[in-house]
Amino acid sequence: MLINVDYVLFHWINELANSLAFLNGTMRFLAQYAPYLFGVALLIYWFLLKCRIG
């Protein structure tokens, strides 16, 4: 049952990639740089929170 859901979701996402081709560049960028962007966002949040408290 769960394998079937995974299969259906996999194909649905791949079909979206065909119909929304303009997002391919954005998705490639996010797939490659998301960990770095998350780290930078976390540091910015931490510094803003520290400035607000102290």
Side-chain angles (χ1 to χ4, degrees):
M1 173 77 179
L2 189 57
I3 294 173
N4 191 26
V5 172
D6 289 342
Y7 183 78
V8 170
L9 283 174
F10 174 79
H11 282 285
W12 179 72
I13 290 169
N14 282 309
E15 288 299 319
L16 275 177
N18 289 333
S19 62
L20 301 174
F22 65 91
L23 289 177
N24 286 344
T26 304
M27 291 301 128
R28 284 185 192 139
F29 175 81
L30 288 175
Q32 188 172 4
Y33 296 110
Y36 304 113
L37 294 173
F38 179 75
V40 169
L42 193 61
L43 285 173
I44 290 172
Y45 176 74
W46 184 69
F47 281 119
L48 289 177
L49 186 64
K50 193 171 185 165
C51 289
R52 188 177 299 164
I53 290 174

